């Protein structure tokens, strides 16, 4: 009796499970396969990972203005964890129509077909900086329009600079000069230079030495190149002579915090630091200089997000129109004013520079800036490299790069 | 799952006298018995449906994803998704690449975490329970509430608190500095505690047989690194937050113990220490099993502290399998691998629970101890002058 009923339970459960499973499956299929059917009147949802209230407000206003103009409804949501919310949308077949995509997430979403590759249909396609277009090109297709961009530069605390007896003529343009001024700026209270322990900062030195993680067309891993070794050895020498430290070793969350607190006289950060310092350390006076040139010439890294459009979006035409509006020269200049980013179109460069003369160095370095690798899986490789760079001051630069080289080779095929 | 394993083996329900008395020839139930059965199913149906829909089905779906090449778009049961066999597991356990090493590192981190948290929190919660269970203690209610308080606070709030306490210039390092100790930069220090201890006696490099052999892409020397300083802070946090919960379980068990056994032990002349180890603790065995099992499961699944606290840093030393599963799926869009990690973790937990059950099972009294009892009883018999 007991055995028979437990068998019945098992059978019943199995049947119920099978039924529910198949029901689930068909439900999903409906969404997945017919999702791309176009409906010109469907409203749009926009999902952004905002840096703060200023950005949210600026984008909300821009989207609302477009909505009024075009007659298509559009609502804006801010994500607390953008990647997670996007992934959930793609899996359910009902993603947001227009959203931010970061360079390290692009490859994954492009490879599984979640993104609509609309880049070539943009009317202002040729206006974008070519290096940015490269960053959002996957498998030969230009997927999405860069919404704005940032580059790294050297941020100098003016008060500490003059206190150390340095003048404008001393702004470093070579590695040797950088070492020299960092030396002069180092006191018991603060170090000369501080930056975050990650490739996104240390990589700038690699670029200055003439190195990179991948060769130009992204077909070969070049992590263990002599140029990169030279760059890491230089950074290590800065640490061992005590004139530079990682921001984490100073107890700061990022370079801007160490800089704002006066724990470091110089830092390497992007143009977003302006907003951060304004909000948290409004009294700190600073100047922005291009990063000093290394043995390989001038170099820096650039970062960007793009406006992705979902392949499952029911109204891609309207989404494309919205993105064109959001990346237009005027709109980008307005965004720049609102939350301190740099326009991703070249036609806005001159006006941005006249409006932000003190930050011109950021835009000047766009000519030679290097994008971060966007291959599928490269985010994991860089994460692993970051974890090793944290112990660069005690580690062996060549060994660190050798490990990263092996990891990078595994994903370059 | 925890509920099913924590039922003590002796708790099998006694058979009702009616069914036991029945002749062996069994017939289909009739009349009132039958409608009782239907009613029973009806009453359990809501729970069965909810459990099936929100637990069994998702688990089976995840199991399928771990054997598929689903890329995160649309349904995992769509036609474009292929069965790839054990590929995801193979990449994880024998791939030789970054995926395998990441998994090895995550297992290493979490194993040390479990090894430290489970014994410490069990011992501490038992100690606290014994303390607040004493009749003579004034303000027992206050202490019980105080010890239990961290358990009811959200883990996110405590993690943030911990980040401040253990900051480079936080309160903990301030206190340490009063004693002349230069505290570490807790959440930024990736160095292993065991490695650091070995370094104090001059060993900074492992022997060749340890550095050259690897398991899951991590050298044996690195397996022995111990928890990083950052992970140690999480260990302290886990002990701080969960001891209160388990203290509650121990208090409940202690209050269920009859006073007569204690009195008998007192009459036999056992002192307090002996009574605790020889009388109280053996009676707490079922609760001990519950606490150890819950502790084991909870510590192998640690996620929210990592997600809100360190995101796996510094130097990947606080990455745990649960967190790695999340990042593999949601950030790297490698859903098959993420699901595979979850199932390997599941197997680890089940195997460890079974081992623990075997270790803690009720054993017949050993011969050695038996002899002690028989000698004692024969001596008392002699004293009383019986033959």
């Amino acid at each position: 009796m007991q055995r028979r009923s437990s068998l019945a339970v098992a059978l019943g459960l199995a049947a119920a499970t099978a039924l529910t499973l198949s029901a689930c499956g068909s439900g999903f299929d409906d969404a997945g396969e017919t999702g791309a059917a176009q409906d010109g009147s469907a409203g749009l949802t926009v999902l952004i990972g905002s840096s703060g209230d200023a950005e949210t407000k600026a984008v909300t206003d821009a989207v609302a203005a477009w909505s009024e103009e075009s007659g298509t409804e559009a609502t804006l949501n801010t994500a607390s964890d953008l990647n997670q919310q996007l992934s959930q949308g793609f899996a359910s077949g009902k993603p947001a129509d227009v959203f931010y995509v970061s360079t390290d997430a692009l490859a994954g979403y492009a490879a599984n077909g979640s993104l609509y590759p609309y880049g070539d249909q943009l009317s202002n396609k040729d206006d974008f900086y070519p290096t940015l277009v490269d960053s959002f090109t996957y498998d030969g297709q230009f997927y999405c329009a860069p919404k704005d961009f940032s580059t790294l530069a050297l941020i100098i605390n003016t008060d500490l600079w003059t206190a150390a007896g340095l003048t404008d003529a001393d702004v470093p343009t070579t590695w040797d000069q950088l070492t020299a001024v960092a030396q002069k700026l180092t006191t018991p209270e603060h170090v000369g230079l501080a930056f975050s322990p990650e490739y996104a900062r240390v990589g700038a030195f690699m670029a200055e030495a003439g190195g990179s993680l991948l060769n130009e067309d992204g077909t070969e891993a070049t992590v263990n190149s002599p140029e990169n070794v030279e760059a890491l050895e230089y950074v290590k020498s800065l640490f061992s002579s005590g004139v530079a430290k990682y921001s984490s070793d100073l107890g700061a969350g990022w370079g801007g915090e160490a800089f704002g607190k006066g724990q470091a006289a110089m830092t390497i950060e992007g143009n977003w630091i302006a907003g951060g310092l304004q909000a948290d350390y409004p009294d700190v006076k600073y100047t922005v200089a291009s990063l000093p040139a290394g043995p390989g010439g001038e170099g820096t890294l650039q970062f960007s997000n793009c406006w992705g459009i979902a392949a499952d979006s029911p109204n891609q035409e309207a989404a494309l129109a919205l993105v064109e509006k959001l990346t237009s020269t005027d709109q980008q200049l307005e965004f720049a004013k609102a939350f301190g980013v740099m326009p991703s179109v070249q036609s806005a460069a001159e006006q941005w520079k006249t409006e932000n003369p003190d930050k011109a160095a950021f835009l000047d370095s766009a000519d030679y800036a290097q994008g971060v690798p966007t291959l599928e899986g490269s985010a994991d490789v860089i994460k692993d490299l970051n974890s090793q760079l944290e112990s660069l001051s005690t580690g062996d630069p060549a060994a660190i790069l050798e490990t990263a080289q092996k990891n990078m080779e595994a994903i370059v095929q | 799952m925890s509920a099913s394993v924590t039922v003590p083996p002796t708790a099998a329900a006694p058979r009702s006298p009616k069914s036991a008395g029945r002749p062996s020839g069994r017939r289909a139930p009739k009349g009132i018995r039958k409608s009782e059965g239907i009613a029973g199913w009806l009453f359990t149906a809501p729970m069965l449906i909810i459990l099936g829909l929100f637990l069994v089905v998702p688990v089976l779906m995840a199991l399928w994803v771990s054997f598929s090449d689903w890329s995160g778009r649309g349904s995992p049961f769509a036609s474009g998704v292929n069965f790839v066999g054990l590929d995801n597991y193979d990449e994880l356990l024998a791939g030789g690449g970054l995926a395998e090493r990441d998994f090895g590192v995550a297992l290493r981190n979490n194993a040390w975490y479990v090894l430290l948290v489970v014994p410490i929190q069990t011992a501490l919660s038992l100690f606290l329970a014994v303390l607040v269970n004493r009749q003579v203690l004034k303000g027992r209610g206050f202490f019980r509430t105080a010890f239990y308080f961290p358990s009811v606070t959200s883990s996110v709030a405590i993690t943030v608190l911990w980040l401040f306490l253990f900051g480079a210039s936080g309160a903990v390092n301030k206190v340490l500095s009063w004693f002349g100790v230069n505290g570490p930069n807790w959440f930024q220090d990736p160095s292993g505690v065991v490695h650091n201890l070995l370094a104090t006696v001059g060993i900074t490099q492992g022997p060749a047989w340890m550095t050259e052999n690897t398991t899951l892409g991590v050298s044996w020397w690195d397996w022995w690194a111990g928890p990083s300083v950052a992970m140690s802070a999480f260990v302290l946090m886990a002990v701080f937050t969960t001891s209160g919960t388990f203290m509650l379980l121990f208090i409940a068990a202690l209050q269920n113990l009859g006073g007569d056994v204690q009195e008998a032990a007192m009459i036999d002349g056992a002192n307090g220490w002996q009574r605790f180890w020889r009388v109280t603790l053996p009676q707490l065995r079922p609760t001990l099993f519950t606490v150890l099992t819950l502790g084991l499961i909870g510590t192998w699944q640690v996620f929210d502290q990592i997600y809100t606290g360190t995101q796996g840093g510094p130097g990947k030393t606080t990455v745990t399998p649960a967190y790695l599963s999340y990042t593999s799926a949601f950030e790297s869009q490698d859903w098959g691998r993420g699901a595979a990690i979850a199932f390997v973790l599941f197997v680890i937990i089940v195997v460890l629970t079974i081992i623990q059950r075997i270790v803690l099972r009720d054993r017949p009294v050993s011969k050695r101890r038996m002899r002690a009892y028989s000698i004692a009883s024969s001596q008392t018999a002699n004293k009383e002058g019986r033959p």
Side-chain angles (χ1 to χ4, degrees):
Chain A
M1 168 71 200
Q2 227 170 6
R3 181 170 303 160
R4 196 177 310 158
S5 60
S6 65
L7 185 70
V9 173
L11 279 177
L13 258 185
T17 309
L19 270 177
T20 333
L21 269 181
S22 57
C24 269
S26 61
F28 270 119
D29 287 348
D30 289 346
E33 279 155 26
T34 59
Q38 292 300 298
D39 173 7
S41 65
L44 296 179
T45 40
V46 182
L47 185 70
I48 64 167
S50 177
S51 64
D53 292 341
E55 183 169 0
T56 310
K57 188 176 177 308
V59 181
T60 311
D61 290 349
V63 169
W66 174 84
S67 184
E68 196 149 314
E69 209 172 282
S70 67
T72 308
E73 227 174 280
T75 45
L76 182 105
N77 298 316
T78 50
S80 53
D81 190 331
L82 184 68
N83 278 340
Q84 185 189 330
Q85 275 164 267
L86 281 181
S87 297
Q88 280 170 353
F90 293 140
S92 68
K94 291 188 180 59
D97 300 273
V98 179
F99 41 82
Y100 286 4
V101 179
S102 62
T103 38
D104 49 349
L106 175 85
Y109 293 142
N112 69 16
S114 298
L115 290 185
Y116 171 51
Y118 65 86
D120 291 331
Q121 301 173 37
L122 285 167
S123 54
N124 53 348
K125 183 194 164 204
D126 298 326
D127 200 8
F128 293 108
Y129 288 93
T131 48
L132 290 176
V133 173
D134 284 347
S135 290
F136 295 109
T137 299
Y138 175 80
D139 225 2
Q141 266 182 312
F142 177 28
Y143 264 83
C144 50
K147 74 177 184 74
D148 47 42
F149 80 115
S150 316
T151 56
L152 295 178
L154 189 67
I155 321 292
I156 300 167
N157 184 321
T158 342
D159 291 340
L160 299 178
W161 184 265
T162 43
L166 295 162
T167 63
D168 286 352
D170 295 313
V171 172
T173 54
T174 64
W175 280 4
D176 288 341
Q177 291 173 8
L178 180 67
T179 316
V181 295
Q183 193 94 53
K184 281 190 189 151
L185 286 166
T186 302
T187 67
E189 288 81 43
H190 55 81
V191 291
L193 177 67
F195 46 89
S196 318
E198 53 183 338
Y199 165 73
R201 302 291 175 278
V202 181
F205 289 98
M206 297 186 190
E208 288 155 20
S212 59
L213 297 186
L214 292 168
N215 67 350
E216 216 143 281
D217 46 0
T219 51
E220 211 182 309
T222 55
V223 186
N224 62 353
S225 65
E227 289 86 3
N228 286 346
V229 177
E230 189 181 3
L232 287 200
E233 260 157 13
Y234 172 67
V235 176
K236 192 178 168 175
S237 75
L238 286 180
F239 291 148
S240 52
S241 58
V243 299
K245 267 187 181 162
Y246 279 140
S247 53
S248 53
D249 292 332
L250 296 165
W254 61 299
E257 189 185 338
F259 183 78
K261 281 183 180 164
Q263 292 169 316
M266 299 186 289
T267 185
I268 297 171
E269 280 295 339
N271 30 311
W272 54 77
I273 195 176
L277 291 178
Q278 182 69 40
D280 297 335
Y281 311 99
D283 299 334
V284 175
K285 286 202 272 309
Y286 62 93
T287 53
V288 179
S290 295
L291 287 172
E298 291 184 296
T300 187
L301 297 181
Q302 69 181 19
F303 310 94
S304 178
N305 283 329
C306 78
W307 287 107
I309 297 181
D312 285 334
S313 166
N315 198 353
Q316 285 167 345
E317 206 178 311
L320 185 60
L322 172 60
V323 170
E324 276 187 345
K325 152 86 175 155
L326 290 172
T327 55
S328 66
T329 311
D330 293 343
Q331 186 61 56
Q332 290 214 44
L333 282 167
E334 238 169 80
F335 283 158
K337 233 179 270 171
F339 52 96
V341 290
M342 291 196 294
S344 59
V345 285
Q346 295 167 22
S347 59
E350 280 314 311
Q351 198 183 336
W352 190 84
K353 272 195 229 176
T354 45
E355 281 173 12
N356 305 281
D358 49 332
K359 287 178 229 151
F362 286 118
L363 198 53
D364 287 339
S365 49
D367 300 335
Y368 50 82
Q370 213 180 70
V372 292
T374 54
L375 287 175
E376 201 178 353
S378 58
D380 288 337
V381 174
I382 290 173
K383 213 191 270 178
D384 192 67
L385 176 60
N386 287 345
S387 76
Q388 298 193 60
L389 285 175
E390 282 176 34
S391 46
L392 175 62
S393 54
T394 55
D396 171 19
I400 291 174
L401 293 170
E402 199 56 53
T403 322
Q405 168 78 8
K406 262 188 227 135
N407 294 334
M408 195 59 106
E409 275 170 3
I411 61 163
V412 179
Q413 273 145 15
Chain B
M1 194 181 77
S2 59
S4 66
V5 288
T6 52
V7 173
T10 51
R15 291 193 154 209
S16 72
K18 214 171 219 173
S19 66
R22 242 193 228 167
S24 59
R26 284 180 179 173
R27 284 173 299 170
K30 267 186 197 164
I32 198 164
R33 289 270 148 225
K34 189 176 181 183
S35 63
E36 251 179 31
I38 291 173
W41 280 110
L42 223 59
F43 278 119
T44 49
M47 201 58 219
L48 282 181
I49 291 170
I50 288 171
L51 273 184
L53 203 60
F54 294 104
L55 200 75
V56 180
V57 174
V59 166
L60 291 178
M61 276 172 83
L63 188 64
W64 158 248
V65 169
S66 77
F67 290 111
S68 78
D69 63 354
W70 186 55
S71 58
R73 181 176 178 237
S75 160
F77 302 108
S79 53
V81 179
N82 304 308
F83 176 74
V84 295
L86 290 170
D87 278 10
N88 289 322
Y89 291 90
D90 184 57
E91 191 187 8
L92 210 58
L93 301 172
L98 191 56
E100 185 191 345
R101 190 147 51 83
D102 278 350
F103 186 59
V105 167
L107 276 186
R108 191 260 324 252
N109 299 340
N110 212 338
W112 282 105
Y113 179 80
V114 173
L115 206 67
L116 288 173
V117 172
V118 173
I120 296 177
Q121 81 184 8
T122 309
L124 183 66
S125 54
L126 181 59
F127 177 68
L128 293 179
V130 171
L131 275 191
V132 300
N133 194 45
R134 290 165 62 185
Q135 304 295 331
V136 290
L137 187 70
K138 270 185 196 155
R140 282 192 297 164
F142 168 76
F143 284 110
R144 281 182 201 178
T145 317
F147 292 148
Y148 190 59
F149 220 75
S151 306
V152 288
T153 313
S154 113
S155 66
V156 174
I158 295 202
T159 307
V160 174
L161 175 78
W162 231 248
L163 290 179
F164 283 117
L165 283 179
F166 286 82
S169 48
V172 171
N173 280 359
K174 206 51 150 212
V175 172
L176 286 177
S177 71
W178 295 343
F179 301 99
V181 179
N182 199 0
N185 189 352
W186 293 87
F187 282 111
Q188 303 299 337
D189 193 340
S191 63
V193 168
V194 175
H195 275 183
N196 288 349
L197 284 177
L198 288 174
T200 58
V201 292
I203 304 171
T204 52
Q205 194 72 41
W209 63 271
M210 281 185 92
T211 50
E212 281 164 15
N213 289 308
T214 62
T215 305
L216 287 176
V218 180
S219 77
W220 292 0
W221 173 246
D222 285 337
W223 276 96
W224 278 103
S228 67
V229 176
M231 195 51 133
S232 311
F234 279 127
V235 168
L236 292 176
M237 184 166 110
V239 171
F240 173 71
T241 51
T242 44
S243 294
T245 318
F246 295 138
M247 174 194 78
L248 219 59
L249 292 180
F250 278 124
I251 290 177
L254 283 171
Q255 292 186 341
N256 265 340
L257 297 185
D260 44 353
V261 185
Q262 289 285 338
E263 280 169 20
M266 276 186 214
I267 290 168
D268 283 347
N271 62 27
W273 190 247
Q274 286 170 328
R275 283 203 307 278
F276 175 75
W277 285 105
R278 297 284 173 88
V279 178
T280 311
L281 198 58
Q283 291 185 89
L284 288 178
R285 195 200 297 262
T287 314
L288 202 62
F289 178 76
T290 310
V291 167
L292 285 174
T293 309
L294 290 180
L296 205 65
I297 293 170
T299 47
W300 272 110
Q301 290 179 340
V302 56
F303 175 81
D304 36 4
Q305 295 91 317
I306 312 295
Y307 180 73
T308 45
T310 57
Q311 269 101 44
K316 288 191 178 178
T317 57
T318 59
V319 174
T320 62
Y323 183 72
L324 186 67
S325 166
Y326 168 80
T327 52
S328 304
F330 282 93
E331 279 172 21
S332 313
Q333 299 298 310
D334 218 327
W335 297 80
R337 192 195 301 162
I341 293 172
F343 280 96
V344 174
L345 186 60
F346 170 75
V347 170
I348 290 173
I349 292 175
V350 169
V351 167
L352 286 179
T353 308
I354 292 173
I355 292 176
Q356 187 201 316
R357 187 166 181 154
I358 293 172
V359 171
L360 277 183
R361 72 181 187 277
D362 275 320
R363 286 191 210 80
V365 182
S366 70
K367 275 195 182 139
R368 186 173 54 84
R369 193 160 285 172
M370 207 59 167
R371 209 176 301 134
Y373 286 123
S374 57
I375 290 167
S377 61
S378 65
Q379 276 172 351
T380 45
N382 287 343
K383 264 185 205 158
E384 282 166 19
R386 294 212 194 110

